[in-house]
Amino acid sequence: WYQRRVRGYLKLRDLAKMKTFLTVKQMSILVQAVIISSLDYCNCLYYGCSKSVVAQLQSIQNRACRLVYGLKKQQSVDEKLMSLHGLKIRERIDFKLCLLTFK
């Protein structure tokens, strides 16, 4: 999880450099392809992890949302997060685990 967190921040930094050349829709697609997909990869392994690990992963998702929509740190990302991909990290982990259990 540590390497995934560091890579997530580095990818966000690289995407931020391209922000001036892209529209919100294009940035949203890039963030979903690069950041959200890496957070989703094997995320059911995070079930039962400590809250601090989940909080760090949630921080990456929040920064990605702020990058796409140009939000400041003081602004809430909850509304925009729904339009970006839907669920918070803890909810995504639970959803993925339920989906695998159902299948």
PDB file of all heavy atoms in Angstrom, residues 9-40:
ATOM      1  N   TYR A   9       0.558   9.717  -5.651  1.00  0.00           N
ATOM      2  CA  TYR A   9       0.910  11.136  -5.534  1.00  0.00           C
ATOM      3  C   TYR A   9       1.771  11.593  -6.715  1.00  0.00           C
ATOM      4  O   TYR A   9       1.604  12.697  -7.231  1.00  0.00           O
ATOM      5  CB  TYR A   9       1.630  11.412  -4.228  1.00  0.00           C
ATOM      6  CG  TYR A   9       0.733  11.364  -3.021  1.00  0.00           C
ATOM      7  CD1 TYR A   9       1.055  10.608  -1.909  1.00  0.00           C
ATOM      8  CD2 TYR A   9      -0.456  12.078  -2.984  1.00  0.00           C
ATOM      9  CE1 TYR A   9       0.229  10.561  -0.804  1.00  0.00           C
ATOM     10  CE2 TYR A   9      -1.289  12.038  -1.888  1.00  0.00           C
ATOM     11  CZ  TYR A   9      -0.940  11.284  -0.799  1.00  0.00           C
ATOM     12  OH  TYR A   9      -1.763  11.242   0.291  1.00  0.00           O
ATOM     13  N   LEU A  10       2.688  10.736  -7.162  1.00  0.00           N
ATOM     14  CA  LEU A  10       3.532  11.092  -8.303  1.00  0.00           C
ATOM     15  C   LEU A  10       2.712  11.207  -9.584  1.00  0.00           C
ATOM     16  O   LEU A  10       2.927  12.112 -10.393  1.00  0.00           O
ATOM     17  CB  LEU A  10       4.651  10.067  -8.475  1.00  0.00           C
ATOM     18  CG  LEU A  10       5.708  10.042  -7.373  1.00  0.00           C
ATOM     19  CD1 LEU A  10       6.697   8.904  -7.597  1.00  0.00           C
ATOM     20  CD2 LEU A  10       6.432  11.368  -7.281  1.00  0.00           C
ATOM     21  N   LYS A  11       1.775  10.302  -9.771  1.00  0.00           N
ATOM     22  CA  LYS A  11       0.911  10.368 -10.948  1.00  0.00           C
ATOM     23  C   LYS A  11       0.038  11.618 -10.912  1.00  0.00           C
ATOM     24  O   LYS A  11      -0.175  12.262 -11.944  1.00  0.00           O
ATOM     25  CB  LYS A  11       0.028   9.122 -11.028  1.00  0.00           C
ATOM     26  CG  LYS A  11       0.781   7.867 -11.394  1.00  0.00           C
ATOM     27  CD  LYS A  11      -0.147   6.669 -11.366  1.00  0.00           C
ATOM     28  CE  LYS A  11       0.603   5.375 -11.559  1.00  0.00           C
ATOM     29  NZ  LYS A  11      -0.301   4.216 -11.474  1.00  0.00           N
ATOM     30  N   LEU A  12      -0.452  11.967  -9.732  1.00  0.00           N
ATOM     31  CA  LEU A  12      -1.252  13.186  -9.603  1.00  0.00           C
ATOM     32  C   LEU A  12      -0.429  14.426  -9.939  1.00  0.00           C
ATOM     33  O   LEU A  12      -0.921  15.350 -10.586  1.00  0.00           O
ATOM     34  CB  LEU A  12      -1.818  13.309  -8.189  1.00  0.00           C
ATOM     35  CG  LEU A  12      -3.054  12.487  -7.891  1.00  0.00           C
ATOM     36  CD1 LEU A  12      -3.403  12.565  -6.414  1.00  0.00           C
ATOM     37  CD2 LEU A  12      -4.222  12.952  -8.726  1.00  0.00           C
ATOM     38  N   ARG A  13       0.808  14.426  -9.518  1.00  0.00           N
ATOM     39  CA  ARG A  13       1.677  15.558  -9.821  1.00  0.00           C
ATOM     40  C   ARG A  13       1.905  15.680 -11.326  1.00  0.00           C
ATOM     41  O   ARG A  13       1.874  16.778 -11.889  1.00  0.00           O
ATOM     42  CB  ARG A  13       3.012  15.406  -9.091  1.00  0.00           C
ATOM     43  CG  ARG A  13       3.898  16.635  -9.202  1.00  0.00           C
ATOM     44  CD  ARG A  13       5.177  16.470  -8.469  1.00  0.00           C
ATOM     45  NE  ARG A  13       5.944  15.411  -9.140  1.00  0.00           N
ATOM     46  CZ  ARG A  13       7.063  14.914  -8.683  1.00  0.00           C
ATOM     47  NH1 ARG A  13       7.553  15.327  -7.539  1.00  0.00           N
ATOM     48  NH2 ARG A  13       7.714  13.985  -9.341  1.00  0.00           N
ATOM     49  N   ASP A  14       2.097  14.544 -11.988  1.00  0.00           N
ATOM     50  CA  ASP A  14       2.280  14.566 -13.439  1.00  0.00           C
ATOM     51  C   ASP A  14       1.013  15.028 -14.150  1.00  0.00           C
ATOM     52  O   ASP A  14       1.076  15.787 -15.122  1.00  0.00           O
ATOM     53  CB  ASP A  14       2.690  13.187 -13.945  1.00  0.00           C
ATOM     54  CG  ASP A  14       4.086  12.785 -13.485  1.00  0.00           C
ATOM     55  OD1 ASP A  14       4.867  13.682 -13.106  1.00  0.00           O
ATOM     56  OD2 ASP A  14       4.381  11.576 -13.500  1.00  0.00           O
ATOM     57  N   LEU A  15      -0.144  14.565 -13.680  1.00  0.00           N
ATOM     58  CA  LEU A  15      -1.405  14.986 -14.288  1.00  0.00           C
ATOM     59  C   LEU A  15      -1.669  16.473 -14.071  1.00  0.00           C
ATOM     60  O   LEU A  15      -2.238  17.143 -14.935  1.00  0.00           O
ATOM     61  CB  LEU A  15      -2.568  14.166 -13.730  1.00  0.00           C
ATOM     62  CG  LEU A  15      -2.650  12.709 -14.193  1.00  0.00           C
ATOM     63  CD1 LEU A  15      -3.767  11.990 -13.455  1.00  0.00           C
ATOM     64  CD2 LEU A  15      -2.860  12.621 -15.682  1.00  0.00           C
ATOM     65  N   ALA A  16      -1.251  16.998 -12.934  1.00  0.00           N
ATOM     66  CA  ALA A  16      -1.460  18.414 -12.636  1.00  0.00           C
ATOM     67  C   ALA A  16      -0.701  19.300 -13.619  1.00  0.00           C
ATOM     68  O   ALA A  16      -1.147  20.404 -13.944  1.00  0.00           O
ATOM     69  CB  ALA A  16      -1.033  18.724 -11.204  1.00  0.00           C
ATOM     70  N   LYS A  17       0.424  18.815 -14.119  1.00  0.00           N
ATOM     71  CA  LYS A  17       1.195  19.582 -15.095  1.00  0.00           C
ATOM     72  C   LYS A  17       0.451  19.696 -16.422  1.00  0.00           C
ATOM     73  O   LYS A  17       0.661  20.641 -17.170  1.00  0.00           O
ATOM     74  CB  LYS A  17       2.556  18.931 -15.315  1.00  0.00           C
ATOM     75  CG  LYS A  17       3.454  18.993 -14.108  1.00  0.00           C
ATOM     76  CD  LYS A  17       4.733  18.244 -14.345  1.00  0.00           C
ATOM     77  CE  LYS A  17       5.599  18.209 -13.096  1.00  0.00           C
ATOM     78  NZ  LYS A  17       6.804  17.394 -13.292  1.00  0.00           N
ATOM     79  N   MET A  18      -0.420  18.729 -16.715  1.00  0.00           N
ATOM     80  CA  MET A  18      -1.164  18.735 -17.978  1.00  0.00           C
ATOM     81  C   MET A  18      -2.512  19.440 -17.870  1.00  0.00           C
ATOM     82  O   MET A  18      -3.196  19.613 -18.874  1.00  0.00           O
ATOM     83  CB  MET A  18      -1.402  17.296 -18.437  1.00  0.00           C
ATOM     84  CG  MET A  18      -0.155  16.549 -18.794  1.00  0.00           C
ATOM     85  SD  MET A  18      -0.517  14.946 -19.486  1.00  0.00           S
ATOM     86  CE  MET A  18      -0.940  14.024 -18.027  1.00  0.00           C
ATOM     87  N   LYS A  19      -2.895  19.843 -16.688  1.00  0.00           N
ATOM     88  CA  LYS A  19      -4.231  20.382 -16.456  1.00  0.00           C
ATOM     89  C   LYS A  19      -4.563  21.584 -17.336  1.00  0.00           C
ATOM     90  O   LYS A  19      -5.682  21.713 -17.818  1.00  0.00           O
ATOM     91  CB  LYS A  19      -4.405  20.750 -14.986  1.00  0.00           C
ATOM     92  CG  LYS A  19      -5.808  21.246 -14.674  1.00  0.00           C
ATOM     93  CD  LYS A  19      -6.004  21.378 -13.204  1.00  0.00           C
ATOM     94  CE  LYS A  19      -7.334  21.972 -12.862  1.00  0.00           C
ATOM     95  NZ  LYS A  19      -8.471  21.252 -13.375  1.00  0.00           N
ATOM     96  N   THR A  20      -3.601  22.440 -17.600  1.00  0.00           N
ATOM     97  CA  THR A  20      -3.869  23.646 -18.378  1.00  0.00           C
ATOM     98  C   THR A  20      -4.206  23.339 -19.835  1.00  0.00           C
ATOM     99  O   THR A  20      -4.832  24.155 -20.508  1.00  0.00           O
ATOM    100  CB  THR A  20      -2.667  24.605 -18.334  1.00  0.00           C
ATOM    101  OG1 THR A  20      -1.515  23.910 -18.816  1.00  0.00           O
ATOM    102  CG2 THR A  20      -2.425  25.090 -16.922  1.00  0.00           C
ATOM    103  N   PHE A  21      -3.816  22.180 -20.315  1.00  0.00           N
ATOM    104  CA  PHE A  21      -4.040  21.827 -21.711  1.00  0.00           C
ATOM    105  C   PHE A  21      -5.290  20.979 -21.930  1.00  0.00           C
ATOM    106  O   PHE A  21      -5.640  20.705 -23.069  1.00  0.00           O
ATOM    107  CB  PHE A  21      -2.832  21.058 -22.260  1.00  0.00           C
ATOM    108  CG  PHE A  21      -1.538  21.786 -22.072  1.00  0.00           C
ATOM    109  CD1 PHE A  21      -0.611  21.345 -21.153  1.00  0.00           C
ATOM    110  CD2 PHE A  21      -1.249  22.924 -22.803  1.00  0.00           C
ATOM    111  CE1 PHE A  21       0.587  22.012 -20.977  1.00  0.00           C
ATOM    112  CE2 PHE A  21      -0.059  23.608 -22.635  1.00  0.00           C
ATOM    113  CZ  PHE A  21       0.862  23.149 -21.717  1.00  0.00           C
ATOM    114  N   LEU A  22      -5.941  20.552 -20.857  1.00  0.00           N
ATOM    115  CA  LEU A  22      -7.058  19.611 -20.965  1.00  0.00           C
ATOM    116  C   LEU A  22      -8.348  20.208 -20.429  1.00  0.00           C
ATOM    117  O   LEU A  22      -8.334  21.046 -19.528  1.00  0.00           O
ATOM    118  CB  LEU A  22      -6.731  18.326 -20.185  1.00  0.00           C
ATOM    119  CG  LEU A  22      -5.477  17.569 -20.615  1.00  0.00           C
ATOM    120  CD1 LEU A  22      -5.195  16.444 -19.641  1.00  0.00           C
ATOM    121  CD2 LEU A  22      -5.620  17.036 -22.021  1.00  0.00           C
ATOM    122  N   THR A  23      -9.457  19.719 -20.951  1.00  0.00           N
ATOM    123  CA  THR A  23     -10.762  20.105 -20.425  1.00  0.00           C
ATOM    124  C   THR A  23     -11.057  19.280 -19.177  1.00  0.00           C
ATOM    125  O   THR A  23     -10.339  18.325 -18.869  1.00  0.00           O
ATOM    126  CB  THR A  23     -11.866  19.856 -21.471  1.00  0.00           C
ATOM    127  OG1 THR A  23     -11.958  18.453 -21.715  1.00  0.00           O
ATOM    128  CG2 THR A  23     -11.590  20.598 -22.758  1.00  0.00           C
ATOM    129  N   VAL A  24     -12.128  19.634 -18.491  1.00  0.00           N
ATOM    130  CA  VAL A  24     -12.521  18.892 -17.285  1.00  0.00           C
ATOM    131  C   VAL A  24     -12.866  17.446 -17.648  1.00  0.00           C
ATOM    132  O   VAL A  24     -12.485  16.512 -16.936  1.00  0.00           O
ATOM    133  CB  VAL A  24     -13.716  19.589 -16.589  1.00  0.00           C
ATOM    134  CG1 VAL A  24     -14.251  18.734 -15.458  1.00  0.00           C
ATOM    135  CG2 VAL A  24     -13.292  20.943 -16.064  1.00  0.00           C
ATOM    136  N   LYS A  25     -13.559  17.248 -18.763  1.00  0.00           N
ATOM    137  CA  LYS A  25     -13.931  15.892 -19.175  1.00  0.00           C
ATOM    138  C   LYS A  25     -12.697  15.056 -19.505  1.00  0.00           C
ATOM    139  O   LYS A  25     -12.604  13.895 -19.104  1.00  0.00           O
ATOM    140  CB  LYS A  25     -14.866  15.946 -20.373  1.00  0.00           C
ATOM    141  CG  LYS A  25     -15.318  14.579 -20.826  1.00  0.00           C
ATOM    142  CD  LYS A  25     -16.617  14.650 -21.561  1.00  0.00           C
ATOM    143  CE  LYS A  25     -17.055  13.293 -22.029  1.00  0.00           C
ATOM    144  NZ  LYS A  25     -17.721  12.530 -21.027  1.00  0.00           N
ATOM    145  N   GLN A  26     -11.748  15.635 -20.214  1.00  0.00           N
ATOM    146  CA  GLN A  26     -10.521  14.910 -20.543  1.00  0.00           C
ATOM    147  C   GLN A  26      -9.719  14.585 -19.283  1.00  0.00           C
ATOM    148  O   GLN A  26      -9.186  13.478 -19.151  1.00  0.00           O
ATOM    149  CB  GLN A  26      -9.665  15.737 -21.506  1.00  0.00           C
ATOM    150  CG  GLN A  26     -10.266  15.878 -22.878  1.00  0.00           C
ATOM    151  CD  GLN A  26      -9.532  16.896 -23.733  1.00  0.00           C
ATOM    152  OE1 GLN A  26      -8.904  17.835 -23.219  1.00  0.00           O
ATOM    153  NE2 GLN A  26      -9.618  16.732 -25.044  1.00  0.00           N
ATOM    154  N   MET A  27      -9.648  15.540 -18.361  1.00  0.00           N
ATOM    155  CA  MET A  27      -8.931  15.296 -17.110  1.00  0.00           C
ATOM    156  C   MET A  27      -9.626  14.223 -16.296  1.00  0.00           C
ATOM    157  O   MET A  27      -8.974  13.380 -15.674  1.00  0.00           O
ATOM    158  CB  MET A  27      -8.808  16.590 -16.307  1.00  0.00           C
ATOM    159  CG  MET A  27      -8.000  16.454 -15.041  1.00  0.00           C
ATOM    160  SD  MET A  27      -6.313  15.897 -15.289  1.00  0.00           S
ATOM    161  CE  MET A  27      -5.535  17.393 -15.757  1.00  0.00           C
ATOM    162  N   SER A  28     -10.956  14.227 -16.312  1.00  0.00           N
ATOM    163  CA  SER A  28     -11.714  13.215 -15.598  1.00  0.00           C
ATOM    164  C   SER A  28     -11.427  11.818 -16.147  1.00  0.00           C
ATOM    165  O   SER A  28     -11.239  10.864 -15.384  1.00  0.00           O
ATOM    166  CB  SER A  28     -13.206  13.526 -15.701  1.00  0.00           C
ATOM    167  OG  SER A  28     -13.967  12.500 -15.142  1.00  0.00           O
ATOM    168  N   ILE A  29     -11.373  11.702 -17.457  1.00  0.00           N
ATOM    169  CA  ILE A  29     -11.071  10.410 -18.079  1.00  0.00           C
ATOM    170  C   ILE A  29      -9.662   9.955 -17.714  1.00  0.00           C
ATOM    171  O   ILE A  29      -9.449   8.780 -17.388  1.00  0.00           O
ATOM    172  CB  ILE A  29     -11.247  10.507 -19.611  1.00  0.00           C
ATOM    173  CG1 ILE A  29     -12.727  10.685 -19.951  1.00  0.00           C
ATOM    174  CG2 ILE A  29     -10.683   9.280 -20.306  1.00  0.00           C
ATOM    175  CD1 ILE A  29     -12.998  11.044 -21.388  1.00  0.00           C
ATOM    176  N   LEU A  30      -8.704  10.864 -17.743  1.00  0.00           N
ATOM    177  CA  LEU A  30      -7.332  10.509 -17.373  1.00  0.00           C
ATOM    178  C   LEU A  30      -7.230  10.080 -15.912  1.00  0.00           C
ATOM    179  O   LEU A  30      -6.547   9.105 -15.597  1.00  0.00           O
ATOM    180  CB  LEU A  30      -6.400  11.692 -17.622  1.00  0.00           C
ATOM    181  CG  LEU A  30      -5.788  11.790 -19.001  1.00  0.00           C
ATOM    182  CD1 LEU A  30      -4.963  13.055 -19.123  1.00  0.00           C
ATOM    183  CD2 LEU A  30      -4.942  10.589 -19.306  1.00  0.00           C
ATOM    184  N   VAL A  31      -7.892  10.806 -15.036  1.00  0.00           N
ATOM    185  CA  VAL A  31      -7.845  10.460 -13.606  1.00  0.00           C
ATOM    186  C   VAL A  31      -8.478   9.099 -13.366  1.00  0.00           C
ATOM    187  O   VAL A  31      -7.955   8.286 -12.604  1.00  0.00           O
ATOM    188  CB  VAL A  31      -8.515  11.564 -12.757  1.00  0.00           C
ATOM    189  CG1 VAL A  31      -8.828  11.079 -11.364  1.00  0.00           C
ATOM    190  CG2 VAL A  31      -7.611  12.778 -12.692  1.00  0.00           C
ATOM    191  N   GLN A  32      -9.585   8.817 -14.040  1.00  0.00           N
ATOM    192  CA  GLN A  32     -10.217   7.512 -13.878  1.00  0.00           C
ATOM    193  C   GLN A  32      -9.319   6.404 -14.401  1.00  0.00           C
ATOM    194  O   GLN A  32      -9.230   5.333 -13.797  1.00  0.00           O
ATOM    195  CB  GLN A  32     -11.564   7.479 -14.591  1.00  0.00           C
ATOM    196  CG  GLN A  32     -12.629   8.254 -13.868  1.00  0.00           C
ATOM    197  CD  GLN A  32     -13.957   8.227 -14.607  1.00  0.00           C
ATOM    198  OE1 GLN A  32     -14.093   7.606 -15.642  1.00  0.00           O
ATOM    199  NE2 GLN A  32     -14.931   8.918 -14.057  1.00  0.00           N
ATOM    200  N   ALA A  33      -8.663   6.655 -15.518  1.00  0.00           N
ATOM    201  CA  ALA A  33      -7.806   5.625 -16.112  1.00  0.00           C
ATOM    202  C   ALA A  33      -6.532   5.390 -15.311  1.00  0.00           C
ATOM    203  O   ALA A  33      -6.087   4.251 -15.171  1.00  0.00           O
ATOM    204  CB  ALA A  33      -7.452   6.022 -17.542  1.00  0.00           C
ATOM    205  N   VAL A  34      -5.950   6.449 -14.788  1.00  0.00           N
ATOM    206  CA  VAL A  34      -4.646   6.327 -14.142  1.00  0.00           C
ATOM    207  C   VAL A  34      -4.754   6.150 -12.632  1.00  0.00           C
ATOM    208  O   VAL A  34      -4.171   5.227 -12.060  1.00  0.00           O
ATOM    209  CB  VAL A  34      -3.769   7.557 -14.482  1.00  0.00           C
ATOM    210  CG1 VAL A  34      -2.447   7.496 -13.753  1.00  0.00           C
ATOM    211  CG2 VAL A  34      -3.544   7.646 -15.975  1.00  0.00           C
ATOM    212  N   ILE A  35      -5.500   7.001 -11.965  1.00  0.00           N
ATOM    213  CA  ILE A  35      -5.535   7.011 -10.500  1.00  0.00           C
ATOM    214  C   ILE A  35      -6.575   6.040  -9.954  1.00  0.00           C
ATOM    215  O   ILE A  35      -6.260   5.156  -9.150  1.00  0.00           O
ATOM    216  CB  ILE A  35      -5.812   8.435  -9.970  1.00  0.00           C
ATOM    217  CG1 ILE A  35      -4.779   9.426 -10.505  1.00  0.00           C
ATOM    218  CG2 ILE A  35      -5.848   8.446  -8.454  1.00  0.00           C
ATOM    219  CD1 ILE A  35      -3.365   9.156 -10.076  1.00  0.00           C
ATOM    220  N   ILE A  36      -7.827   6.198 -10.397  1.00  0.00           N
ATOM    221  CA  ILE A  36      -8.909   5.386  -9.842  1.00  0.00           C
ATOM    222  C   ILE A  36      -8.698   3.904 -10.139  1.00  0.00           C
ATOM    223  O   ILE A  36      -8.921   3.047  -9.290  1.00  0.00           O
ATOM    224  CB  ILE A  36     -10.281   5.866 -10.374  1.00  0.00           C
ATOM    225  CG1 ILE A  36     -10.502   7.344 -10.075  1.00  0.00           C
ATOM    226  CG2 ILE A  36     -11.411   5.030  -9.806  1.00  0.00           C
ATOM    227  CD1 ILE A  36     -10.539   7.708  -8.610  1.00  0.00           C
ATOM    228  N   SER A  37      -8.216   3.596 -11.345  1.00  0.00           N
ATOM    229  CA  SER A  37      -7.989   2.186 -11.681  1.00  0.00           C
ATOM    230  C   SER A  37      -6.897   1.572 -10.813  1.00  0.00           C
ATOM    231  O   SER A  37      -6.985   0.408 -10.422  1.00  0.00           O
ATOM    232  CB  SER A  37      -7.647   2.032 -13.151  1.00  0.00           C
ATOM    233  OG  SER A  37      -6.420   2.658 -13.444  1.00  0.00           O
ATOM    234  N   SER A  38      -5.867   2.344 -10.478  1.00  0.00           N
ATOM    235  CA  SER A  38      -4.818   1.808  -9.611  1.00  0.00           C
ATOM    236  C   SER A  38      -5.303   1.656  -8.168  1.00  0.00           C
ATOM    237  O   SER A  38      -4.857   0.759  -7.452  1.00  0.00           O
ATOM    238  CB  SER A  38      -3.565   2.673  -9.668  1.00  0.00           C
ATOM    239  OG  SER A  38      -3.793   3.924  -9.100  1.00  0.00           O
ATOM    240  N   LEU A  39      -6.230   2.524  -7.744  1.00  0.00           N
ATOM    241  CA  LEU A  39      -6.804   2.358  -6.406  1.00  0.00           C
ATOM    242  C   LEU A  39      -7.742   1.156  -6.354  1.00  0.00           C
ATOM    243  O   LEU A  39      -7.877   0.510  -5.324  1.00  0.00           O
ATOM    244  CB  LEU A  39      -7.567   3.626  -5.998  1.00  0.00           C
ATOM    245  CG  LEU A  39      -6.733   4.864  -5.704  1.00  0.00           C
ATOM    246  CD1 LEU A  39      -7.637   6.052  -5.437  1.00  0.00           C
ATOM    247  CD2 LEU A  39      -5.792   4.633  -4.549  1.00  0.00           C
ATOM    248  N   ASP A  40      -8.398   0.852  -7.478  1.00  0.00           N
ATOM    249  CA  ASP A  40      -9.327  -0.273  -7.527  1.00  0.00           C
ATOM    250  C   ASP A  40      -8.632  -1.624  -7.640  1.00  0.00           C
ATOM    251  O   ASP A  40      -9.212  -2.646  -7.323  1.00  0.00           O
ATOM    252  CB  ASP A  40     -10.277  -0.125  -8.714  1.00  0.00           C
ATOM    253  CG  ASP A  40     -11.451   0.750  -8.391  1.00  0.00           C
ATOM    254  OD1 ASP A  40     -11.672   1.022  -7.198  1.00  0.00           O
ATOM    255  OD2 ASP A  40     -12.154   1.163  -9.326  1.00  0.00           O
TER     256      ASP A  40
END
